[in-house]
């Protein structure tokens, strides 16, 4: 009889990098550097075209790196924005319903022709 052996239930070790599907192009350090510099002033779709990558891969890398579009800071005085005041609320007043007006109809007066005898 064969002796029962314990199976290893540990996760399989793979040589594949996590998050990279087979056949996918890995990001180089130069591409990541260019991505971070381009993303400051351009949209993700413009960056994807410049790097010749798909929008999905660029977006995923941006999220993985935690890049965010920052507000442009000027060295000069800050621009103060004044908020517009909200329009005042209208007061609702209970209105009395007007009594229905009687329409006067104009009747055409029948003009009787006199008979000449």
């Amino acid at each position: 009889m064969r002796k029962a052996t314990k199976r290893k239930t540990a996760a399989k070790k793979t040589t594949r990098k996590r998050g990279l599907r087979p056949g996918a192009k890995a990001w180089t350090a130069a591409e990541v550097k260019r991505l971070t510099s381009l993303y400051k002033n351009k949209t993700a779709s413009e960056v994807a075209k410049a790097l010749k990558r798909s929008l999905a891969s660029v977006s995923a890398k941006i999220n993985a790196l935690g890049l965010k579009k920052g507000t442009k800071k000027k060295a000069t005085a800050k621009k103060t924005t004044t908020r517009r005041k909200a329009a005042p609320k209208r007061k609702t007043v209970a209105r009395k319903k007007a009594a229905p007006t009687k329409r006067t109809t104009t009747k055409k007066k029948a003009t009787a022709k006199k008979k000449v005898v």
Side-chain angles (χ1 to χ4, degrees):
M1 258 194 178
R2 197 167 189 189
K3 193 175 186 181
T5 58
K6 290 184 180 180
R7 289 187 181 184
K8 292 184 181 180
T9 57
K12 287 185 177 180
K13 292 182 181 180
T14 58
T15 56
R16 192 173 78 155
K17 290 183 182 179
R18 185 180 185 132
L20 190 65
R21 63 176 175 73
K25 187 177 170 186
W27 285 85
T28 63
E31 284 177 323
V32 172
K33 188 175 181 179
R34 189 166 178 217
L35 169 72
T36 54
S37 65
L38 286 174
Y39 188 64
K40 292 176 185 176
N41 302 322
K42 296 188 178 189
T43 62
S45 59
E46 291 172 340
V47 173
K49 287 178 184 176
L51 294 174
K52 296 180 182 175
R53 285 183 168 265
S54 68
L55 178 60
S57 67
V58 170
S59 299
K61 194 63 174 179
I62 288 168
N63 289 334
L65 294 172
L67 297 179
K68 293 185 179 181
K69 292 266 188 187
T71 57
K72 294 179 181 178
K73 295 180 181 178
K74 292 184 178 180
T76 59
K78 289 184 179 180
K79 183 179 179 181
T80 56
T81 56
T82 55
R83 295 180 77 186
R84 292 178 64 186
K85 291 183 181 178
K89 292 184 179 179
R90 292 185 179 181
K91 293 181 181 178
T92 54
V93 178
R95 295 182 184 175
K96 292 181 182 178
K97 289 187 178 180
T101 58
K102 293 181 181 177
R103 290 189 171 191
T104 55
T105 57
T106 56
K107 294 182 180 178
K108 293 183 180 178
K109 293 181 182 179
T111 56
K113 292 185 180 180
K114 292 182 182 180
K115 291 185 182 178
V116 179
V117 185

